[in-house]
Amino acid sequence: MRSYVIDGPCRLSGEVRISGAKNSTLKLMVAALMVPGEVVLERVPQITDVDLMAEVLEQLGASVQRDGSRLVIDSSGDLCEEAPYELVTKMRASIQVLGPLLARLGHARVAMPGGDAIGSRPIDMHLRGLERMGARFTTEHGYVEGASERLQGVNTLLEFPSVGATENILMAAVLAQGRSVIENAAREPEIQDLCAFLNKAGAHIEGVGTPTIIIDGVDELQPAKHAIVPDRIEAGTYAIAAVATQGDVTLVDCEPAHLELPLMKLEDAGAQIDRGDGRVRVRMEGRPTTLDLVTLPFPGFPTDLQPPMMVLLSQARGSSILTENVFESRFLFVDELNRMGAHIRVEGHHAVIRGVEQLSGAPVRSPDIRAGAALVLGGLCADGRTEVYDAGHIERGYERFVDKLSGLGAGVKLEPARY
Ligand code: EPZ
């Protein structure tokens, strides 16, 4: 067990290179199961979630070769249809193998993912969409088991633009018979990246990045090579850190268009933002101005940047209201932030944040990836020493977090946990 030890306060300055997106990489690795040959992925982040997904794919019979930020996945052998409990419980994204296995093998058995720190996270929309394509599911002994002849293309309307449901149905539809249409589909850049990869591998997907995705099924996919899209959540975390520490940071190798709403909100808070080709410079002087924001599916404000934004607003001049519309229990980490001297009160899915002059260093515990990164960010702003326990959460989603922050002048290190 390790913890992040941060000595604050500091002003971040300099350049930080953005890695490939975790939430695209994991799905492209799963999509590789549908290709009876080699898939080469580049710009793959070195994070523990990728290692876990590699274990899931190997468990299913694929071979996974890693060379730095390059992954070669070969699924030309015989695949098995079961993703076991011990792996799925470690990483929810394993549920995304359901569609690809059903499409390729006509059978899948996957442990039910269950909830986590941010919400109950049901998969009803995944199952309903795949059932409409002809799959039949049973759920018993903690597993969801699905079987189908060749899946049939259909029109599906999603109740909510769920990222996971859109991806699972989309991947299944690529190898289904006939045309599928997904209405009210999610539009996240990671989904656009998945579609770009699948089209390179021979799929026929249109309406990418719109609420209506049209897929004409094909009989087989071919080997393909793809460079992963930049991680907009990692980039957003560093942009918010630059403003919260009143620093001057340039993000390189990022896609400003994928960050438009967070950047607009940082400008509302008083930051100066210069957008360039593949880079963004973020500068801040003085304490942030208060603002209200709501989290929504893309292109709305991303729920994954809500925790870092909460840290920023905890030091604003005055009160702000933050509304979480995507995950029902994503304010769980607020008590840890209040331990650092913040004044935040939660009322249902609203958080009322009364800004304070400065946070104070304290021992805190990270409940999940984004809240963990936010608490480290709090430590960079706080007076004195902060220890963020359960560092493992953060390493699931942030590549070389200590190196990158140290490169921007932060006093941060990873140490064996004292408690
Ligand atoms: C993806 O989760 C991301 N995870 C999450 O990032 C991200 O927060 C989320 O999308 C929203 O952007 C990965 O890509 C691995 P959803 P996902 O399906 O697919 C409800 C991070 O920190 N819902 O869009 O699980 C659900 O409970 C993680 O990197 C149903 O009710 O998100 C939630 O309230 C955290 N039934 C809402 O929809 C369903 O069948 C959005 O979930 C599916 C979802």
Side-chain angles (χ1 to χ4, degrees):
M1 292 297 277
R2 298 193 296 173
S3 63
Y4 285 88
V5 177
I6 308 111
D7 290 315
C10 75
R11 289 168 69 96
L12 296 181
S13 67
E15 286 202 351
V16 59
R17 190 170 297 284
I18 301 304
S19 308
K22 165 181 87 77
N23 290 343
S24 176
T25 306
L26 299 178
K27 315 310 167 52
L28 271 71
M29 290 174 74
V30 163
L33 289 170
M34 299 200 301
V35 180
E38 252 190 27
V39 163
V40 178
L41 300 179
E42 285 163 341
R43 233 183 120 99
V44 170
Q46 310 210 14
I47 53 177
T48 53
D49 265 12
V50 169
D51 306 334
L52 267 173
M53 188 58 91
E55 261 185 74
V56 172
L57 297 192
E58 282 161 349
Q59 169 77 35
L60 293 169
S63 83
V64 182
Q65 303 297 324
R66 163 145 238 170
D67 170 14
S69 62
R70 193 167 184 274
L71 266 187
V72 180
I73 301 167
D74 189 332
S75 308
S76 51
D78 291 338
L79 297 183
C80 93
E81 72 255 357
E82 179 161 330
Y85 177 78
E86 60 276 14
L87 286 176
V88 176
T89 45
K90 283 192 200 144
M91 184 183 56
R92 290 185 51 76
S94 321
I95 193 70
Q96 302 303 104
V97 302
L98 207 50
L101 290 179
L102 273 171
R104 177 125 183 237
L105 306 177
H107 198 240
R109 186 167 191 273
V110 183
M112 293 291 280
D116 63 14
I118 62 176
S120 58
R121 307 188 74 174
I123 57 166
D124 55 312
M125 289 188 245
H126 300 233
L127 301 183
R128 189 178 305 133
L130 294 168
E131 267 163 357
R132 287 179 56 72
M133 302 170 89
R136 298 171 306 285
F137 290 106
T138 53
T139 47
E140 54 187 14
H141 308 304
Y143 279 75
V144 55
E145 189 147 359
S148 65
E149 273 76 50
R150 176 143 189 215
L151 294 170
Q152 297 301 309
V154 288
N155 294 6
T156 296
L157 170 61
L158 292 180
E159 262 178 75
F160 180 90
S162 150
V163 170
T166 301
E167 292 164 339
N168 237 330
I169 297 166
L170 166 85
M171 289 190 278
V174 161
L175 292 178
Q177 188 128 48
R179 168 167 287 195
S180 299
V181 179
I182 307 175
E183 296 283 1
N184 197 25
R187 294 183 267 163
E188 271 66 6
E190 296 76 29
I191 292 194
Q192 299 177 35
D193 204 36
L194 174 63
C195 294
F197 162 71
L198 288 166
N199 278 342
K200 269 187 202 161
H204 294 164
I205 308 172
E206 289 164 32
V208 177
T210 79
T212 305
I213 301 180
I214 300 164
I215 308 110
D216 288 314
V218 295
D219 295 336
E220 197 173 65
L221 295 175
Q222 291 80 40
K225 193 172 166 178
H226 187 78
I228 308 281
V229 74
D231 196 319
R232 66 193 167 102
I233 303 300
E234 183 198 24
T237 304
Y238 285 107
I240 295 169
V243 179
T245 61
Q246 302 175 23
D248 179 350
V249 171
T250 300
L251 317 174
V252 293
D253 281 358
C254 69
E255 178 44 75
H258 294 168
L259 272 174
E260 197 38 42
L261 209 111
L263 295 178
M264 264 167 56
K265 283 292 174 183
L266 291 176
E267 281 168 330
D268 292 350
Q272 188 182 341
I273 310 265
D274 306 317
R275 297 157 179 79
D277 183 12
R279 52 197 298 128
V280 177
R281 184 174 180 189
V282 183
R283 282 174 279 181
M284 182 68 174
E285 277 166 28
R287 285 174 64 191
T289 319
T290 63
L291 53 86
D292 297 343
L293 72 85
V294 299
T295 66
L296 285 168
F298 187 86
F301 189 94
T303 173
D304 293 345
L305 289 178
Q306 178 255 93
M309 207 61 184
M310 178 89 81
V311 171
L312 173 76
L313 296 175
S314 72
Q315 302 163 92
R317 288 178 189 285
S319 296
S320 310
I321 298 178
L322 206 163
T323 303
E324 173 57 55
N325 287 316
V326 180
F327 289 108
E328 70 277 13
S329 17
R330 200 156 208 177
F331 288 145
L332 273 187
F333 85 112
V334 163
D335 294 345
E336 295 302 296
L337 205 44
N338 282 342
R339 188 195 298 276
M340 297 178 74
H343 286 183
I344 306 168
R345 206 180 69 248
V346 173
E347 302 276 346
H349 65 148
H350 303 291
V352 181
I353 310 157
R354 273 192 291 121
V356 298
E357 184 84 30
Q358 179 155 46
L359 298 173
S360 57
V364 289
R365 198 164 285 284
S366 121
D368 66 78
I369 303 173
R370 310 303 170 184
L375 291 168
V376 169
L377 177 47
L380 297 173
C381 306
D383 177 35
R385 171 161 287 195
T386 295
E387 289 173 76
V388 180
Y389 291 95
D390 296 347
H393 285 298
I394 301 169
E395 293 166 316
R396 288 186 48 201
Y398 289 87
E399 182 177 60
R400 294 184 301 104
F401 203 35
V402 166
D403 296 348
K404 292 191 180 186
L405 286 172
S406 310
L408 294 171
V412 56
K413 50 186 186 278
L414 257 179
E415 289 192 347
R418 288 190 303 143
Y419 308 118

PDB file of all heavy atoms in Angstrom, residues 388-401:
ATOM      1  N   VAL A 388      -1.976  11.232   0.741  1.00  0.00           N
ATOM      2  CA  VAL A 388      -3.166  10.652   0.109  1.00  0.00           C
ATOM      3  C   VAL A 388      -2.997   9.136   0.074  1.00  0.00           C
ATOM      4  O   VAL A 388      -2.124   8.621  -0.643  1.00  0.00           O
ATOM      5  CB  VAL A 388      -3.369  11.204  -1.317  1.00  0.00           C
ATOM      6  CG1 VAL A 388      -4.614  10.591  -1.953  1.00  0.00           C
ATOM      7  CG2 VAL A 388      -3.476  12.728  -1.303  1.00  0.00           C
ATOM      8  N   TYR A 389      -3.803   8.435   0.879  1.00  0.00           N
ATOM      9  CA  TYR A 389      -3.678   6.971   0.963  1.00  0.00           C
ATOM     10  C   TYR A 389      -4.460   6.292  -0.145  1.00  0.00           C
ATOM     11  O   TYR A 389      -5.274   6.930  -0.803  1.00  0.00           O
ATOM     12  CB  TYR A 389      -4.172   6.522   2.349  1.00  0.00           C
ATOM     13  CG  TYR A 389      -3.211   6.980   3.424  1.00  0.00           C
ATOM     14  CD1 TYR A 389      -3.436   8.160   4.113  1.00  0.00           C
ATOM     15  CD2 TYR A 389      -2.056   6.273   3.675  1.00  0.00           C
ATOM     16  CE1 TYR A 389      -2.532   8.618   5.044  1.00  0.00           C
ATOM     17  CE2 TYR A 389      -1.145   6.714   4.603  1.00  0.00           C
ATOM     18  CZ  TYR A 389      -1.374   7.885   5.287  1.00  0.00           C
ATOM     19  OH  TYR A 389      -0.452   8.323   6.187  1.00  0.00           O
ATOM     20  N   ASP A 390      -4.184   4.959  -0.300  1.00  0.00           N
ATOM     21  CA  ASP A 390      -4.786   4.191  -1.402  1.00  0.00           C
ATOM     22  C   ASP A 390      -4.393   4.783  -2.748  1.00  0.00           C
ATOM     23  O   ASP A 390      -5.231   5.013  -3.627  1.00  0.00           O
ATOM     24  CB  ASP A 390      -6.321   4.127  -1.260  1.00  0.00           C
ATOM     25  CG  ASP A 390      -6.712   3.363   0.016  1.00  0.00           C
ATOM     26  OD1 ASP A 390      -5.823   2.706   0.592  1.00  0.00           O
ATOM     27  OD2 ASP A 390      -7.878   3.468   0.424  1.00  0.00           O
ATOM     28  N   ALA A 391      -3.091   4.999  -2.895  1.00  0.00           N
ATOM     29  CA  ALA A 391      -2.563   5.608  -4.127  1.00  0.00           C
ATOM     30  C   ALA A 391      -2.867   4.741  -5.349  1.00  0.00           C
ATOM     31  O   ALA A 391      -2.924   5.225  -6.470  1.00  0.00           O
ATOM     32  CB  ALA A 391      -1.059   5.797  -3.989  1.00  0.00           C
ATOM     33  N   GLY A 392      -3.107   3.442  -5.104  1.00  0.00           N
ATOM     34  CA  GLY A 392      -3.341   2.520  -6.223  1.00  0.00           C
ATOM     35  C   GLY A 392      -4.460   2.973  -7.143  1.00  0.00           C
ATOM     36  O   GLY A 392      -4.387   2.805  -8.361  1.00  0.00           O
ATOM     37  N   HIS A 393      -5.460   3.627  -6.551  1.00  0.00           N
ATOM     38  CA  HIS A 393      -6.572   4.113  -7.386  1.00  0.00           C
ATOM     39  C   HIS A 393      -6.052   5.056  -8.461  1.00  0.00           C
ATOM     40  O   HIS A 393      -6.421   4.985  -9.625  1.00  0.00           O
ATOM     41  CB  HIS A 393      -7.587   4.874  -6.526  1.00  0.00           C
ATOM     42  CG  HIS A 393      -8.445   4.012  -5.675  1.00  0.00           C
ATOM     43  ND1 HIS A 393      -9.307   3.086  -6.201  1.00  0.00           N
ATOM     44  CD2 HIS A 393      -8.565   3.931  -4.320  1.00  0.00           C
ATOM     45  CE1 HIS A 393      -9.950   2.483  -5.206  1.00  0.00           C
ATOM     46  NE2 HIS A 393      -9.510   2.973  -4.062  1.00  0.00           N
ATOM     47  N   ILE A 394      -5.170   5.961  -8.063  1.00  0.00           N
ATOM     48  CA  ILE A 394      -4.706   7.002  -8.979  1.00  0.00           C
ATOM     49  C   ILE A 394      -3.852   6.385 -10.087  1.00  0.00           C
ATOM     50  O   ILE A 394      -3.947   6.766 -11.263  1.00  0.00           O
ATOM     51  CB  ILE A 394      -3.921   8.070  -8.192  1.00  0.00           C
ATOM     52  CG1 ILE A 394      -4.819   8.682  -7.109  1.00  0.00           C
ATOM     53  CG2 ILE A 394      -3.375   9.145  -9.124  1.00  0.00           C
ATOM     54  CD1 ILE A 394      -4.100   9.554  -6.101  1.00  0.00           C
ATOM     55  N   GLU A 395      -3.070   5.374  -9.723  1.00  0.00           N
ATOM     56  CA  GLU A 395      -2.186   4.747 -10.717  1.00  0.00           C
ATOM     57  C   GLU A 395      -2.982   3.963 -11.762  1.00  0.00           C
ATOM     58  O   GLU A 395      -2.474   3.617 -12.810  1.00  0.00           O
ATOM     59  CB  GLU A 395      -1.188   3.840 -10.002  1.00  0.00           C
ATOM     60  CG  GLU A 395      -0.212   4.659  -9.148  1.00  0.00           C
ATOM     61  CD  GLU A 395       0.559   3.800  -8.167  1.00  0.00           C
ATOM     62  OE1 GLU A 395      -0.061   2.938  -7.535  1.00  0.00           O
ATOM     63  OE2 GLU A 395       1.775   4.003  -8.073  1.00  0.00           O
ATOM     64  N   ARG A 396      -4.258   3.724 -11.455  1.00  0.00           N
ATOM     65  CA  ARG A 396      -5.097   3.062 -12.457  1.00  0.00           C
ATOM     66  C   ARG A 396      -5.336   3.950 -13.666  1.00  0.00           C
ATOM     67  O   ARG A 396      -5.582   3.476 -14.766  1.00  0.00           O
ATOM     68  CB  ARG A 396      -6.466   2.711 -11.858  1.00  0.00           C
ATOM     69  CG  ARG A 396      -6.463   1.574 -10.855  1.00  0.00           C
ATOM     70  CD  ARG A 396      -7.892   1.233 -10.450  1.00  0.00           C
ATOM     71  NE  ARG A 396      -8.747   1.109 -11.624  1.00  0.00           N
ATOM     72  CZ  ARG A 396     -10.086   1.230 -11.569  1.00  0.00           C
ATOM     73  NH1 ARG A 396     -10.686   1.518 -10.414  1.00  0.00           N
ATOM     74  NH2 ARG A 396     -10.802   1.099 -12.670  1.00  0.00           N
ATOM     75  N   GLY A 397      -5.310   5.316 -13.440  1.00  0.00           N
ATOM     76  CA  GLY A 397      -5.730   6.191 -14.528  1.00  0.00           C
ATOM     77  C   GLY A 397      -4.763   7.293 -14.923  1.00  0.00           C
ATOM     78  O   GLY A 397      -4.978   7.960 -15.930  1.00  0.00           O
ATOM     79  N   TYR A 398      -3.698   7.513 -14.138  1.00  0.00           N
ATOM     80  CA  TYR A 398      -2.767   8.606 -14.449  1.00  0.00           C
ATOM     81  C   TYR A 398      -1.350   8.055 -14.652  1.00  0.00           C
ATOM     82  O   TYR A 398      -0.753   7.518 -13.718  1.00  0.00           O
ATOM     83  CB  TYR A 398      -2.781   9.649 -13.332  1.00  0.00           C
ATOM     84  CG  TYR A 398      -4.057  10.459 -13.297  1.00  0.00           C
ATOM     85  CD1 TYR A 398      -5.171  10.012 -12.578  1.00  0.00           C
ATOM     86  CD2 TYR A 398      -4.182  11.644 -14.025  1.00  0.00           C
ATOM     87  CE1 TYR A 398      -6.351  10.728 -12.571  1.00  0.00           C
ATOM     88  CE2 TYR A 398      -5.370  12.378 -14.018  1.00  0.00           C
ATOM     89  CZ  TYR A 398      -6.444  11.915 -13.293  1.00  0.00           C
ATOM     90  OH  TYR A 398      -7.629  12.626 -13.292  1.00  0.00           O
ATOM     91  N   GLU A 399      -0.819   8.231 -15.886  1.00  0.00           N
ATOM     92  CA  GLU A 399       0.518   7.734 -16.194  1.00  0.00           C
ATOM     93  C   GLU A 399       1.569   8.630 -15.548  1.00  0.00           C
ATOM     94  O   GLU A 399       1.492   9.863 -15.687  1.00  0.00           O
ATOM     95  CB  GLU A 399       0.734   7.699 -17.711  1.00  0.00           C
ATOM     96  CG  GLU A 399       2.085   7.154 -18.141  1.00  0.00           C
ATOM     97  CD  GLU A 399       2.227   7.067 -19.657  1.00  0.00           C
ATOM     98  OE1 GLU A 399       2.121   8.101 -20.321  1.00  0.00           O
ATOM     99  OE2 GLU A 399       2.424   5.949 -20.152  1.00  0.00           O
ATOM    100  N   ARG A 400       2.516   8.006 -14.800  1.00  0.00           N
ATOM    101  CA  ARG A 400       3.675   8.722 -14.243  1.00  0.00           C
ATOM    102  C   ARG A 400       3.264  10.027 -13.568  1.00  0.00           C
ATOM    103  O   ARG A 400       3.816  11.099 -13.841  1.00  0.00           O
ATOM    104  CB  ARG A 400       4.725   8.960 -15.316  1.00  0.00           C
ATOM    105  CG  ARG A 400       5.378   7.665 -15.858  1.00  0.00           C
ATOM    106  CD  ARG A 400       6.489   7.857 -16.848  1.00  0.00           C
ATOM    107  NE  ARG A 400       6.070   8.600 -18.034  1.00  0.00           N
ATOM    108  CZ  ARG A 400       6.376   9.868 -18.255  1.00  0.00           C
ATOM    109  NH1 ARG A 400       7.063  10.537 -17.353  1.00  0.00           N
ATOM    110  NH2 ARG A 400       5.987  10.475 -19.352  1.00  0.00           N
ATOM    111  N   PHE A 401       2.265   9.944 -12.675  1.00  0.00           N
ATOM    112  CA  PHE A 401       1.697  11.139 -12.045  1.00  0.00           C
ATOM    113  C   PHE A 401       2.763  11.918 -11.269  1.00  0.00           C
ATOM    114  O   PHE A 401       2.887  13.139 -11.396  1.00  0.00           O
ATOM    115  CB  PHE A 401       0.554  10.723 -11.113  1.00  0.00           C
ATOM    116  CG  PHE A 401      -0.462  11.791 -10.801  1.00  0.00           C
ATOM    117  CD1 PHE A 401      -0.845  12.736 -11.740  1.00  0.00           C
ATOM    118  CD2 PHE A 401      -1.062  11.837  -9.552  1.00  0.00           C
ATOM    119  CE1 PHE A 401      -1.790  13.711 -11.448  1.00  0.00           C
ATOM    120  CE2 PHE A 401      -2.019  12.811  -9.242  1.00  0.00           C
ATOM    121  CZ  PHE A 401      -2.374  13.751 -10.197  1.00  0.00           C
TER     122      PHE A 401
END
